[in-house]
Amino acid sequence: MNETVVNAIALLAVAVAAHAAWHTLRDAPFSNPLFYSVAALEVALLGLLIGGSVALGRTDRDVDGVLLVSYLVTIVVIPPAAVLWGIAEKSRWGTGVVVVAMLTTAVLCVRVEQIWDAVRV
Amino acid sequence: MSERASTAHGFGRALVAVYAVFAVAASARSIFQLITKADEAPFAYALSAVAGVVYVVATYALATDHRRLATATIGFELVGVLTVGVLSLADESLFPDQTVWSDFGSGYGYVPLVLPFVGLWWLLRSRGGHD
Protein backbone atom coordinates (compact mmCIF):
# COMPACT_ATOMS: atom_id res chain seq x y z
CA MET A 1 0.00 0.00 0.00
CA ASN A 2 1.38 3.34 -1.05
CA GLU A 3 2.00 5.71 1.85
CA THR A 4 1.77 8.81 -0.30
CA VAL A 5 -1.74 7.84 -1.34
CA VAL A 6 -2.87 7.21 2.23
CA ASN A 7 -1.31 10.50 3.35
CA ALA A 8 -3.07 12.31 0.53
CA ILE A 9 -6.40 10.81 1.60
CA ALA A 10 -5.76 11.81 5.21
CA LEU A 11 -5.00 15.36 4.07
CA LEU A 12 -8.14 15.36 1.95
CA ALA A 13 -10.14 14.36 5.03
CA VAL A 14 -8.57 17.25 6.97
CA ALA A 15 -9.48 19.61 4.11
CA VAL A 16 -13.10 18.40 4.16
CA ALA A 17 -13.08 18.87 7.95
CA ALA A 18 -11.97 22.47 7.42
CA HIS A 19 -14.67 22.95 4.80
CA ALA A 20 -17.29 21.65 7.25
CA ALA A 21 -15.83 23.74 10.11
CA TRP A 22 -16.22 26.81 7.92
CA HIS A 23 -19.94 26.00 7.70
CA THR A 24 -20.12 25.47 11.45
CA LEU A 25 -18.45 28.81 12.21
CA ARG A 26 -20.65 30.74 9.81
CA ASP A 27 -23.74 28.94 11.05
CA ALA A 28 -24.38 27.90 7.45
CA PRO A 29 -26.66 24.97 6.66
CA PHE A 30 -25.32 21.78 5.12
CA SER A 31 -24.54 22.88 1.53
CA ASN A 32 -24.24 21.11 -1.80
CA PRO A 33 -20.50 21.91 -2.15
CA LEU A 34 -19.89 20.31 1.26
CA PHE A 35 -21.86 17.29 0.15
CA TYR A 36 -19.66 16.98 -2.94
CA SER A 37 -16.47 17.28 -0.86
CA VAL A 38 -17.61 14.48 1.40
CA ALA A 39 -18.67 12.44 -1.64
CA ALA A 40 -15.23 12.91 -3.25
CA LEU A 41 -13.57 11.75 -0.04
CA GLU A 42 -15.92 8.76 0.11
CA VAL A 43 -14.86 7.71 -3.40
CA ALA A 44 -11.20 7.94 -2.34
CA LEU A 45 -11.97 5.88 0.78
CA LEU A 46 -13.71 3.19 -1.27
CA GLY A 47 -10.60 3.13 -3.44
CA LEU A 48 -8.50 2.75 -0.31
CA LEU A 49 -10.66 -0.17 0.88
CA ILE A 50 -10.30 -1.95 -2.45
CA GLY A 51 -6.64 -1.06 -2.96
CA GLY A 52 -5.76 -1.89 0.64
CA SER A 53 -7.50 -5.28 0.47
CA VAL A 54 -5.73 -6.16 -2.78
CA ALA A 55 -2.38 -5.05 -1.36
CA LEU A 56 -3.05 -7.15 1.73
CA GLY A 57 -3.61 -10.21 -0.44
CA ARG A 58 -0.34 -9.70 -2.27
CA THR A 59 2.00 -8.71 0.50
CA ASP A 60 4.20 -11.08 2.43
CA ARG A 61 4.69 -8.64 5.30
CA ASP A 62 3.54 -9.41 8.80
CA VAL A 63 0.36 -7.32 8.63
CA ASP A 64 -2.62 -7.98 10.88
CA GLY A 65 -5.17 -8.50 8.12
CA VAL A 66 -8.34 -8.59 10.22
CA LEU A 67 -7.35 -5.37 11.97
CA LEU A 68 -6.44 -3.63 8.71
CA VAL A 69 -9.65 -4.56 6.90
CA SER A 70 -11.82 -3.64 9.91
CA TYR A 71 -10.21 -0.20 9.89
CA LEU A 72 -10.70 0.18 6.13
CA VAL A 73 -14.37 -0.79 6.40
CA THR A 74 -14.94 1.53 9.38
CA ILE A 75 -13.44 4.44 7.45
CA VAL A 76 -15.82 3.84 4.54
CA VAL A 77 -18.87 3.75 6.82
CA ILE A 78 -18.11 6.96 8.76
CA PRO A 79 -18.73 9.70 6.13
CA PRO A 80 -22.23 8.59 5.02
CA ALA A 81 -23.25 8.08 8.64
CA ALA A 82 -21.98 11.55 9.55
CA VAL A 83 -23.79 13.17 6.62
CA LEU A 84 -27.11 11.50 7.45
CA TRP A 85 -26.77 12.37 11.10
CA GLY A 86 -25.53 15.89 10.39
CA ILE A 87 -28.38 16.74 8.01
CA ALA A 88 -30.89 15.65 10.67
CA GLU A 89 -29.54 18.33 13.04
CA LYS A 90 -30.79 21.74 12.01
CA SER A 91 -28.49 23.87 14.13
CA ARG A 92 -24.91 24.78 13.19
CA TRP A 93 -23.72 21.64 14.94
CA GLY A 94 -25.05 19.49 12.13
CA THR A 95 -21.92 20.33 10.20
CA GLY A 96 -20.01 20.08 13.49
CA VAL A 97 -20.75 16.35 13.38
CA VAL A 98 -19.14 16.26 9.92
CA VAL A 99 -16.04 18.02 11.32
CA VAL A 100 -15.73 15.35 14.01
CA ALA A 101 -16.23 12.56 11.48
CA MET A 102 -13.67 13.92 9.00
CA LEU A 103 -11.01 14.37 11.67
CA THR A 104 -11.73 10.83 12.84
CA THR A 105 -11.30 9.62 9.26
CA ALA A 106 -7.93 11.38 9.00
CA VAL A 107 -6.72 9.79 12.25
CA LEU A 108 -7.91 6.37 11.11
CA CYS A 109 -5.95 6.79 7.84
CA VAL A 110 -2.81 7.37 9.88
CA ARG A 111 -3.61 4.27 11.93
CA VAL A 112 -4.09 2.26 8.73
CA GLU A 113 -0.56 3.24 7.72
CA GLN A 114 0.79 2.18 11.10
CA ILE A 115 -0.98 -1.17 10.88
CA TRP A 116 0.38 -1.64 7.38
CA ASP A 117 3.88 -0.88 8.62
CA ALA A 118 3.20 -3.38 11.44
CA VAL A 119 3.94 -0.77 14.08
CA ARG A 120 2.56 -1.93 17.39
CA VAL A 121 0.52 0.87 18.93
CA MET B 1 -36.27 27.15 23.18
CA SER B 2 -37.90 24.99 25.81
CA GLU B 3 -36.74 25.71 29.33
CA ARG B 4 -34.73 22.53 29.44
CA ALA B 5 -32.79 21.74 26.27
CA SER B 6 -32.19 18.14 25.27
CA THR B 7 -28.61 16.93 25.65
CA ALA B 8 -28.85 15.44 22.16
CA HIS B 9 -29.37 18.60 20.13
CA GLY B 10 -27.36 21.62 19.11
CA PHE B 11 -23.80 21.33 20.34
CA GLY B 12 -24.86 18.09 22.00
CA ARG B 13 -25.15 16.51 18.57
CA ALA B 14 -21.46 17.05 17.91
CA LEU B 15 -20.61 15.91 21.44
CA VAL B 16 -22.58 12.70 20.97
CA ALA B 17 -20.63 12.16 17.74
CA VAL B 18 -17.32 12.41 19.60
CA TYR B 19 -18.60 10.06 22.30
CA ALA B 20 -19.77 7.62 19.64
CA VAL B 21 -16.30 7.60 18.10
CA PHE B 22 -14.73 6.80 21.45
CA ALA B 23 -17.39 4.22 22.24
CA VAL B 24 -16.52 2.37 19.05
CA ALA B 25 -12.77 2.94 19.35
CA ALA B 26 -12.50 1.79 22.97
CA SER B 27 -14.85 -1.19 22.66
CA ALA B 28 -13.39 -2.37 19.38
CA ARG B 29 -9.90 -2.07 20.80
CA SER B 30 -10.75 -4.03 23.93
CA ILE B 31 -12.63 -6.76 22.05
CA PHE B 32 -9.66 -7.10 19.72
CA GLN B 33 -7.18 -7.15 22.62
CA LEU B 34 -9.19 -9.64 24.66
CA ILE B 35 -9.65 -12.00 21.73
CA THR B 36 -6.11 -11.93 20.39
CA LYS B 37 -3.92 -11.51 23.46
CA ALA B 38 -5.90 -11.50 26.71
CA ASP B 39 -3.08 -13.10 28.69
CA GLU B 40 -0.47 -10.47 27.83
CA ALA B 41 -1.84 -7.64 29.90
CA PRO B 42 -5.13 -8.70 31.50
CA PHE B 43 -5.41 -5.63 33.71
CA ALA B 44 -4.90 -3.14 30.87
CA TYR B 45 -7.31 -5.02 28.60
CA ALA B 46 -10.00 -5.36 31.25
CA LEU B 47 -9.67 -1.63 31.76
CA SER B 48 -10.04 -1.02 28.03
CA ALA B 49 -13.27 -3.00 28.21
CA VAL B 50 -14.54 -0.94 31.15
CA ALA B 51 -13.68 2.28 29.30
CA GLY B 52 -15.50 0.96 26.24
CA VAL B 53 -18.65 0.25 28.25
CA VAL B 54 -18.46 3.68 29.91
CA TYR B 55 -18.27 5.42 26.54
CA VAL B 56 -21.10 3.33 25.10
CA VAL B 57 -23.38 4.13 28.04
CA ALA B 58 -22.40 7.82 28.02
CA THR B 59 -23.13 8.02 24.28
CA TYR B 60 -26.52 6.39 24.80
CA ALA B 61 -27.36 8.62 27.77
CA LEU B 62 -26.42 11.85 25.97
CA ALA B 63 -28.19 10.84 22.78
CA THR B 64 -31.42 10.00 24.60
CA ASP B 65 -31.32 12.86 27.13
CA HIS B 66 -30.89 10.62 30.17
CA ARG B 67 -29.27 13.27 32.32
CA ARG B 68 -28.65 11.31 35.51
CA LEU B 69 -27.12 8.39 33.68
CA ALA B 70 -25.01 10.77 31.60
CA THR B 71 -23.74 12.59 34.68
CA ALA B 72 -22.89 9.33 36.41
CA THR B 73 -21.04 7.80 33.47
CA ILE B 74 -19.20 10.98 32.53
CA GLY B 75 -18.24 11.47 36.19
CA PHE B 76 -16.92 7.91 36.21
CA GLU B 77 -15.08 8.63 32.98
CA LEU B 78 -13.43 11.68 34.55
CA VAL B 79 -12.33 9.71 37.62
CA GLY B 80 -11.18 6.88 35.37
CA VAL B 81 -9.02 8.96 33.06
CA LEU B 82 -7.43 10.84 35.98
CA THR B 83 -6.78 7.70 38.05
CA VAL B 84 -5.45 5.65 35.18
CA GLY B 85 -3.42 8.64 33.95
CA VAL B 86 -1.68 8.98 37.30
CA LEU B 87 -1.25 5.21 37.76
CA SER B 88 0.18 4.68 34.30
CA LEU B 89 2.77 7.39 34.87
CA ALA B 90 3.57 6.21 38.40
CA ASP B 91 3.89 2.50 37.64
CA GLU B 92 4.43 1.58 34.03
CA SER B 93 4.43 -2.14 34.77
CA LEU B 94 0.71 -1.95 35.54
CA PHE B 95 0.03 -1.09 31.92
CA PRO B 96 2.36 -2.98 29.61
CA ASP B 97 0.02 -2.18 26.74
CA GLN B 98 -1.87 1.00 25.94
CA THR B 99 -5.43 1.70 26.98
CA VAL B 100 -7.56 4.69 26.04
CA TRP B 101 -6.92 6.25 29.42
CA SER B 102 -3.21 5.59 29.96
CA ASP B 103 -0.98 8.67 30.16
CA PHE B 104 -4.16 10.78 30.33
CA GLY B 105 -5.17 9.62 26.87
CA SER B 106 -2.01 10.87 25.14
CA GLY B 107 -2.39 8.14 22.50
CA TYR B 108 -5.67 9.78 21.52
CA GLY B 109 -4.47 13.38 21.46
CA TYR B 110 -5.56 13.90 25.09
CA VAL B 111 -9.17 13.96 23.91
CA PRO B 112 -10.13 11.39 26.61
CA LEU B 113 -8.89 13.88 29.23
CA VAL B 114 -10.78 16.87 27.83
CA LEU B 115 -13.97 15.01 26.90
CA PRO B 116 -15.42 14.45 30.41
CA PHE B 117 -14.96 18.14 31.25
CA VAL B 118 -16.74 19.15 28.06
CA GLY B 119 -19.43 16.55 28.78
CA LEU B 120 -20.10 17.81 32.30
CA TRP B 121 -20.02 21.42 31.11
CA TRP B 122 -22.61 20.55 28.47
CA LEU B 123 -24.84 18.79 31.01
CA LEU B 124 -24.77 21.91 33.20
CA ARG B 125 -25.18 24.28 30.31
CA SER B 126 -28.13 22.49 28.72
CA ARG B 127 -29.90 22.15 32.06
CA GLY B 128 -30.86 25.78 32.49
CA GLY B 129 -33.00 28.09 30.39
CA HIS B 130 -30.25 29.69 28.29
CA ASP B 131 -29.99 28.36 24.74
Side-chain angles (χ1 to χ4, degrees):
Chain A
M1 205 161 41
N2 190 323
E3 280 194 11
T4 318
V5 174
V6 185
N7 281 331
I9 294 176
L11 282 178
L12 180 63
V14 172
V16 180
H19 191 184
W22 185 71
H23 286 73
T24 311
L25 289 176
R26 290 180 62 248
D27 209 353
F30 201 103
S31 68
N32 280 345
L34 180 58
F35 180 80
Y36 295 133
S37 328
V38 180
L41 178 69
E42 181 67 10
V43 170
L45 294 175
L46 281 168
L48 184 65
L49 170 62
I50 295 165
S53 307
V54 171
L56 179 68
R58 286 189 185 150
T59 190
D60 50 2
R61 298 164 175 241
D62 182 23
V63 176
D64 196 326
V66 177
L67 193 61
L68 185 74
V69 172
S70 62
Y71 265 81
L72 292 173
V73 171
T74 308
I75 296 181
V76 167
V77 173
I78 289 176
V83 167
L84 288 177
W85 217 49
I87 287 177
E89 167 67 41
K90 293 302 173 203
S91 78
R92 64 165 71 199
W93 296 105
T95 51
V97 171
V98 180
V99 176
V100 172
M102 293 301 109
L103 292 179
T104 307
T105 306
V107 171
L108 290 179
C109 285
V110 174
R111 285 285 289 130
V112 162
E113 266 179 67
Q114 290 173 341
I115 295 166
W116 179 253
D117 292 336
V119 177
R120 188 153 175 265
V121 178
Chain B
M1 280 303 274
S2 61
E3 58 177 43
R4 188 169 154 286
S6 161
T7 55
H9 294 290
F11 171 75
R13 182 72 84 143
L15 186 64
V16 172
V18 179
Y19 265 96
V21 168
F22 274 90
V24 173
S27 341
R29 172 173 218 160
S30 77
I31 290 168
F32 177 77
Q33 287 173 332
L34 288 172
I35 289 177
T36 58
K37 42 187 182 179
D39 48 331
E40 277 180 34
F43 183 62
Y45 298 156
L47 195 86
S48 282
V50 171
V53 172
V54 169
Y55 284 119
V56 169
V57 177
T59 307
Y60 163 80
L62 284 172
T64 52
D65 202 22
H66 284 82
R67 248 151 224 287
R68 263 222 208 125
L69 185 61
T71 312
T73 45
I74 296 174
F76 186 88
E77 181 199 346
L78 179 60
V79 174
V81 70
L82 292 177
T83 312
V84 173
V86 170
L87 283 179
S88 58
L89 290 181
D91 184 1
E92 281 179 26
S93 64
L94 266 180
F95 301 95
D97 201 354
Q98 281 272 328
T99 75
V100 224
W101 288 343
S102 20
D103 302 338
F104 298 105
S106 66
Y108 292 81
Y110 292 103
V111 176
L113 179 60
V114 179
L115 202 52
F117 289 104
V118 178
L120 291 176
W121 166 80
W122 174 245
L123 282 171
L124 265 179
R125 162 86 209 258
S126 58
R127 187 182 56 181
H130 33 212
D131 206 32

